[in-house]
Amino acid sequence: MYTSIIILFLTLPIQAQTSQEKPLYDLIAAYAQARESKDSVVLGNILTEDIDQLISTGEWRRGLKTAQKGMLRSSNANPGDRVLKVEQVRFLNNSTAIIDARYEIRNPDGNVRKMWSTFVAILEEDTWKISAIRNMLPRTGN
């Protein structure tokens, strides 16, 4: 009997954590799909009005319209399959989370650009939205 109770207590936090994180995984998947399909309507629904994005070239994109235009321009200029794989979610409180993801762009020529993305998501009227994005291109060599 004691074994069953211990197992129950050990599994409950894991299940609760998974269900709490799922909307954030879904948010990043929606973002990746919107970028892939160049869907400005979906981007408008999942990004905050005051979004800011720092891309790997050092360019800042501030505000929803600027970010959307830059994202669509970048998707057109850098064709390829974009893959975002969430590695970690950290909640700062009940309405703010940091999401770290591996970000790969598989170019038509076969090259793969391997980066990291960090997203700051906020809960806005019961809907998770992306408030900030930081894309990083790890440096190779010394």
Side-chain angles (χ1 to χ4, degrees):
M1 176 160 176
Y2 292 113
T3 305
S4 298
I5 292 171
I6 292 171
I7 292 171
L8 178 64
F9 284 121
L10 290 176
T11 59
L12 281 177
I14 293 168
Q15 291 170 347
Q17 184 180 21
T18 302
S19 65
Q20 186 182 18
E21 290 178 354
K22 185 178 182 330
L24 297 166
Y25 278 77
D26 293 345
L27 176 65
I28 301 308
Y31 170 78
Q33 179 58 42
R35 288 291 307 269
E36 189 69 28
S37 63
K38 301 174 184 92
D39 190 332
S40 61
V41 174
V42 171
L43 287 173
N45 289 329
I46 64 173
L47 303 174
T48 62
E49 282 292 323
D50 64 347
I51 176 110
D52 65 63
Q53 180 183 29
L54 177 61
I55 64 172
S56 59
T57 63
E59 175 189 347
W60 279 99
R61 298 173 181 162
R62 291 191 166 102
L64 181 59
K65 290 183 192 230
T66 302
Q68 282 178 306
K69 286 179 188 174
M71 289 172 189
L72 297 175
R73 184 179 63 243
S74 176
S75 292
N76 285 329
N78 300 297
D81 296 326
R82 284 171 165 71
V83 177
L84 279 158
K85 181 183 175 207
V86 174
E87 292 283 323
Q88 176 180 317
V89 173
R90 189 175 106 204
F91 288 92
L92 300 180
N93 55 44
N94 290 335
S95 60
T96 310
I98 298 173
I99 306 144
D100 293 314
R102 291 189 184 273
Y103 181 24
E104 293 184 357
I105 302 175
R106 296 179 184 142
N107 297 317
D109 66 5
N111 286 330
V112 179
R113 188 171 181 204
K114 296 182 178 188
M115 298 177 283
W116 281 96
S117 286
T118 295
F119 298 84
V120 176
I122 63 168
L123 196 57
E124 201 172 80
E125 298 179 16
D126 295 326
T127 302
W128 284 103
K129 292 189 174 190
I130 299 169
S131 179
I133 304 170
R134 302 295 182 263
N135 295 328
M136 296 146 273
L137 181 60
R139 199 173 139 183
T140 56
N142 291 337

